[in-house]
Amino acid sequence: MSLHSSLLFSALCVASLSACAQAPDSGEAGAPAGTAVAEAAAPVGQIRTVPGTPEDRARQAIESISPDIQIDAIGPAPLAGFREVIVSGQTLYVSDDGKYLLQGSLFDVEARRDVSRAGVAAVRRRLLAEVPDEERIVFAPPNPRYTVSVFTDVECGYCRKLHQEIAEYNRRGIAVEYLAFPRMGPDTADFALMEAVWCAPDRRKALTDAKNGRPVPPRSCDNPVARHYELGQRVGLTGTPMIVTRSGVQMPGYLPPDALLSMLQQVEAAEAADADRGG
């Protein structure tokens, strides 16, 4: 799945998302999620900043490239003289005078970690926390040790593979909470099928049927599929299934049950170590 690039950087022009993802090499397992990024309360599609501040100049710089960009957070950066800006699940750095912009990972050599991921994780955590429980399709053991949110598509091969193993994830203490991401986009048969799943009397059965290629009766209702689709883009979805931990860390695509459990344990240990360091 790819983000359509603008002339400057892809994060500012998310146009379409259309592929399945198996674990790529650039996962975020172990990424710290403790660094806070200042979040501004603002109307939908806007972010409020105080005129004359570095945050305001950063906002204006981003919006000068495209006024339609939705900024999710602006705050201090670990790089002196810059603000950290979170856009579509990507970290950008804008100089305090609003003149320069950097995109990409920022690696702390001494701490040996990518410090650009913490802000993104914080935004993901906040946005996912806003999704009501009743909008999720949940497959969980009685007392889960871990809970992950999974943006899924019924047509995606790796999404289907994950769902075929759902009982094994549950046996390992992992609860899976599905959100909808029809990767073909609005006004497609894929989108309509996912709406039918979310409108079904038994969503769990309908989702399982759809992923097994069995028919799901068309239905319409007040459903969250469009909201989930937009949310997926805001949290930086680059492939389905997108697996996100409770702390906002993104897993690297599809992972078999044992591999996912191992990575969740690694993330937990890394976050505990980070907390001990006061990071």
Side-chain angles (χ1 to χ4, degrees):
M1 178 177 294
S2 63
L3 300 180
H4 289 220
S5 299
S6 69
L7 292 177
L8 293 178
F9 47 92
S10 61
L12 298 184
C13 292
V14 177
S16 69
L17 298 154
S18 60
C20 292
Q22 187 180 22
D25 294 332
S26 57
E28 295 182 12
T35 303
V37 176
E39 298 166 0
V44 174
Q46 301 179 27
I47 190 165
R48 185 177 300 127
T49 52
V50 178
T53 62
E55 287 77 13
D56 190 54
R57 287 188 285 272
R59 177 189 59 77
Q60 291 184 55
I62 297 296
E63 291 180 351
S64 72
I65 297 170
S66 172
D68 297 326
I69 292 167
Q70 182 165 359
I71 299 172
D72 285 307
I74 302 177
L79 184 65
F82 282 78
R83 299 294 102 179
E84 183 173 278
V85 184
I86 309 299
V87 175
S88 297
Q90 303 292 318
T91 305
L92 310 174
Y93 298 100
V94 180
S95 59
D96 287 348
D97 60 6
K99 185 176 181 181
Y100 299 103
L101 182 148
L102 299 173
Q103 179 192 12
S105 298
L106 185 62
F107 195 78
D108 185 324
V109 176
E110 183 176 343
R112 296 187 178 277
R113 67 180 187 180
D114 184 346
V115 295
S116 63
R117 292 176 176 169
V120 173
V123 168
R124 286 197 195 107
R125 186 168 62 248
R126 171 172 59 86
L127 293 176
L128 286 169
E130 295 172 1
V131 179
D133 291 342
E134 60 269 19
E135 288 190 0
R136 303 166 184 255
I137 299 179
V138 180
F139 291 80
N143 297 293
R145 171 70 185 275
Y146 301 103
T147 299
V148 294
S149 295
V150 178
F151 286 88
T152 193
D153 176 45
V154 294
E155 302 290 347
C156 161
Y158 283 116
C159 297
R160 290 185 171 191
K161 184 172 177 59
L162 187 153
H163 194 65
Q164 288 168 358
E165 300 171 299
I166 198 71
E168 294 301 320
Y169 292 103
N170 289 172
R171 286 191 187 99
R172 286 157 179 78
I174 302 170
V176 174
E177 298 186 350
Y178 283 120
L179 292 87
F181 194 88
R183 59 199 177 96
M184 298 304 176
D187 302 318
T188 63
D190 184 27
F191 203 98
L193 178 54
M194 296 203 74
E195 288 187 315
V197 167
W198 254 260
C199 290
D202 186 341
R203 290 176 174 177
R204 285 162 49 103
K205 181 180 183 301
L207 183 64
T208 300
D209 285 345
K211 290 194 175 191
N212 286 327
R214 294 193 289 265
V216 175
R219 290 185 176 89
S220 61
C221 66
D222 181 12
N223 67 81
V225 173
R227 292 192 295 275
H228 291 183
Y229 182 78
E230 179 185 2
L231 177 61
Q233 296 181 66
R234 287 183 68 186
V235 299
L237 188 151
T238 57
T240 51
M242 180 187 186
I243 305 173
V244 185
T245 71
R246 274 265 174 88
S247 60
V249 175
Q250 180 182 351
M251 296 288 100
Y254 162 80
L255 290 168
D258 285 333
L260 179 57
L261 176 60
S262 177
M263 294 198 75
L264 290 171
Q265 291 168 339
Q266 291 177 42
V267 169
E268 184 178 53
E271 290 173 347
D274 191 57
D276 289 341
R277 288 193 298 266

